Amino acid sequence: MSDLSADIQVNFQSFAEDTPFELVVEDTDQDGKKPVQVEFNLFSFKFTIIHTWGIATSKGKGAGIDSDILEKMLVPGEKRIKVYCSQADALSVKLIVDNGEKTFEYSDYQWETSKISALGTSCCGSVKPDQYQQTWKEIKRTVKANTAIFLGRRYDPIVEALTWSGEVTKRLRYFYDNPQVEIMQKTVFRDRKGNILPDPVYNPQRGTFSTNGEAIGAIVVRYKPGYSLYRIVYDTGKDVASPELWAEMKMAWIFGDIHKAEVPPVRLIAMSDKAAVTGSFQRDYFPSGYPRVTFASNTSDEEVDEWVEVAGTRETVTTRLQLDEDDPDAYADIEKITYIEGMDDDGRTFKLRMLNDDAKA
């Protein structure tokens, strides 16, 4: 009879090895959220008219738009995100933002004061003051964008509900750095026949609650897992948008809201020695569209009448504005109001007629 030998390998993995890390970008309850600030120059009064009325429609790619809109970033955007992971895994985590880190230069301006004459005396013992001049000085600055800045480890409390629907074991979602777990609420646990079962037993080494057989019930727990906090610095997104999409974003900005276009989100890749995950969040801008202007006829503290449009009284004419001389399909139809009636809370009415409107413009 021959001998039979075999090697048996048992792998006891920890919770941190099972779930290396998780990237959380929304509802982080963190300060420091800032939109990308852009400089804008309205290159033509015709687009001011379009936005002022707010009732224009456009067609075509609008390739003829040649302007500085969205092209100059004054201040990059910022957002804080969380990476839930163990203390050991945190050392190897690396974040990549969009296409990677880049450096851009911008100009900052401030008044610089300098003395041009010293104190002097005159008759009667009076003293002349020093004389100064102020110069508007340009300061060149550089800043990094599309980068992640590590802000350290945090341990904030979270509340989590664990529900059994015929399972035996439930695991905490973020069991990192062996947090203390507090049971805040608990139901009676029963088996599939309705018989009462003992309460779940907590395993502090695995971050799991286990019942004696398949169970139905729920508990609510509170604990403080460890996570790494990062500050994400991002740009306008021009490098990740196609030329056609970038043109659509500029057109949407002109019409009042850049998010009416498919604005590319800020995309993140988090990598460690064990795994890699992805995430994204909305890219915000300031201003997010052509700034709106409001007019007030009364700046005092007195009560101001509120006027509303009387339905059915509006009269309009539509003119077509060609956006690109070389593309007949790139245009905006502008619906101009020529007559309108309004009424206040007391029933008083007014009539407004726009004179000298050139319908052929």
Side-chain angles (χ1 to χ4, degrees):
M1 183 175 180
S2 60
D3 295 333
L4 177 64
S5 63
D7 293 331
I8 300 177
Q9 185 179 27
V10 180
N11 185 14
F12 296 97
Q13 289 184 318
S14 67
F15 174 85
E17 291 173 336
D18 292 342
T19 55
F21 59 91
E22 183 171 340
L23 183 62
V24 178
V25 298
E26 300 299 338
D27 300 324
T28 58
D29 296 327
Q30 296 290 336
D31 296 330
K33 183 178 180 180
K34 301 177 183 178
V36 174
Q37 294 187 35
V38 296
E39 182 180 76
F40 61 94
N41 293 317
L42 293 179
F43 53 90
S44 173
F45 182 71
K46 59 188 178 184
F47 286 105
T48 304
I49 297 175
I50 293 175
H51 182 82
T52 300
W53 290 116
I55 51 178
T57 58
S58 63
K59 179 181 179 181
K61 60 184 180 180
I65 298 177
D66 182 16
S67 72
D68 293 332
I69 288 180
L70 301 180
E71 297 293 341
K72 186 175 182 181
M73 179 171 63
L74 299 179
V75 180
E78 295 184 8
K79 182 178 174 64
R80 296 188 179 185
I81 61 100
K82 297 178 179 179
V83 177
Y84 280 96
C85 61
S86 67
Q87 180 84 41
D89 287 331
L91 300 176
S92 65
V93 172
K94 179 182 179 181
L95 284 174
I96 300 176
V97 184
D98 281 344
N99 290 341
E101 184 177 282
K102 60 182 292 188
T103 301
F104 77 95
E105 184 181 85
Y106 68 99
S107 295
D108 193 7
Y109 297 88
Q110 65 182 29
W111 287 104
E112 185 177 77
T113 304
S114 58
K115 182 185 293 186
I116 59 176
S117 67
L119 290 173
T121 58
S122 63
C123 65
C124 305
S126 61
V127 180
K128 295 180 179 179
D130 290 342
Q131 295 183 2
Y132 297 88
Q133 69 176 4
Q134 285 189 320
T135 305
W136 188 240
K137 185 177 181 181
E138 178 183 11
I139 302 175
K140 294 290 187 180
R141 302 188 187 277
T142 59
V143 66
K144 291 182 179 180
N146 300 339
T147 186
I149 301 171
F150 179 60
L151 300 179
R153 295 285 290 177
R154 301 288 192 274
Y155 298 88
D156 295 333
I158 65 172
V159 176
E160 182 179 349
L162 303 175
T163 302
W164 279 255
S165 300
E167 299 87 358
V168 175
T169 300
K170 287 289 184 176
R171 171 179 284 176
L172 297 178
R173 183 175 182 179
Y174 302 123
F175 182 71
Y176 297 106
D177 300 347
N178 299 315
Q180 296 294 320
V181 179
E182 172 192 0
I183 298 178
M184 301 177 64
Q185 302 174 33
K186 176 176 63 66
T187 68
V188 173
F189 281 76
R190 301 178 183 273
D191 61 17
R192 295 183 180 275
K193 296 182 179 180
N195 300 317
I196 296 177
L197 296 176
D199 292 339
V201 177
Y202 179 61
N203 183 346
Q205 303 300 320
R206 297 281 299 169
T208 57
F209 284 88
S210 299
T211 56
N212 186 14
E214 296 179 351
I216 300 173
I219 61 174
V220 178
V221 297
R222 179 168 56 193
Y223 58 104
K224 295 182 179 180
Y227 68 90
S228 297
L229 183 65
Y230 287 86
R231 177 161 59 95
I232 306 300
V233 183
Y234 61 92
D235 62 9
T236 59
K238 181 179 181 180
D239 291 344
V240 296
S242 67
E244 293 77 13
L245 176 56
W246 185 247
E248 291 177 12
M249 291 167 59
K250 294 170 73 171
M251 181 64 72
W253 190 96
I254 292 172
F255 280 90
D257 185 3
I258 191 173
H259 290 290
K260 290 182 179 179
E262 294 295 329
V263 176
V266 180
R267 291 185 171 86
L268 308 173
I269 301 176
M271 299 182 296
S272 73
D273 293 339
K274 300 176 181 178
V277 295
T278 60
S280 64
F281 59 85
Q282 177 178 284
R283 192 183 307 268
D284 289 326
Y285 301 83
F286 179 82
S288 60
Y290 179 88
R292 296 183 179 273
V293 180
T294 59
F295 300 90
S297 59
N298 191 340
T299 58
S300 67
D301 295 332
E302 299 178 2
E303 184 178 352
V304 179
D305 291 333
E306 294 291 337
W307 297 80
V308 296
E309 178 182 351
V310 177
T313 62
R314 178 183 297 190
E315 298 177 5
T316 63
V317 296
T318 301
T319 59
R320 176 160 295 182
L321 178 66
Q322 203 68 35
L323 303 178
D324 189 344
E325 296 179 355
D326 299 325
D327 186 357
D329 292 328
Y331 60 82
D333 285 335
I334 308 171
E335 185 182 9
K336 299 180 181 180
I337 299 175
T338 58
Y339 178 79
I340 194 172
E341 294 182 10
M343 179 180 298
D344 68 1
D345 295 336
D346 298 324
R348 294 177 298 179
T349 62
F350 76 91
K351 299 179 180 180
L352 176 64
R353 185 175 298 279
M354 307 298 292
L355 301 177
N356 302 322
D357 179 79
D358 184 3
K360 298 179 180 181

